[in-house]
Amino acid sequence: MQLTAPAAGRTHTSPRPRDADGMAVASFILGLLGLLVLNVFLGPIAIALAATALWRGTARRGRAYLGLTLGVADLAVLLTAMELSHTVSWSL
């Protein structure tokens, strides 16, 4: 027995694709931001979010791949800067 009628025009869909799309966009933004600051933290987070979004079947595959690429680039920038400065961290 249904007590309330479904809202007109709304369909019941799983929030999963929407979450995956949000993760793809977040990975892109965090990967881009990680090129400038906190790349040791933001790079791995961008990689994890992109991998999860791709695994969940995001509709924004391009953004997820960009987030994955930028996350790896964050770590590459960190390693290069550490190697050039001969320290464990780097600063501008």
Side-chain angles (χ1 to χ4, degrees):
M1 180 168 149
Q2 186 175 2
L3 297 176
T4 60
R10 285 190 165 174
T11 59
H12 181 67
T13 59
S14 172
R16 202 166 191 179
R18 188 170 154 196
D19 289 345
D21 291 348
M23 286 182 189
V25 173
S27 72
F28 171 70
I29 292 170
L30 291 177
L32 195 58
L33 185 61
L35 288 173
L36 303 174
V37 294
L38 297 173
N39 48 5
V40 70
F41 298 112
L42 297 179
I45 293 171
I47 292 169
L49 283 174
T52 304
L54 289 168
W55 181 73
R56 288 187 178 184
T58 182
R60 298 179 182 217
R61 295 180 62 82
R63 294 245 171 97
Y65 281 123
L66 279 173
L68 184 66
T69 304
L70 287 169
V72 171
D74 291 348
L75 297 179
V77 165
L78 175 66
L79 291 174
T80 302
M82 285 172 41
E83 186 64 31
L84 291 174
S85 67
H86 302 293
T87 63
V88 179
S89 64
W90 67 280
S91 63
L92 295 174

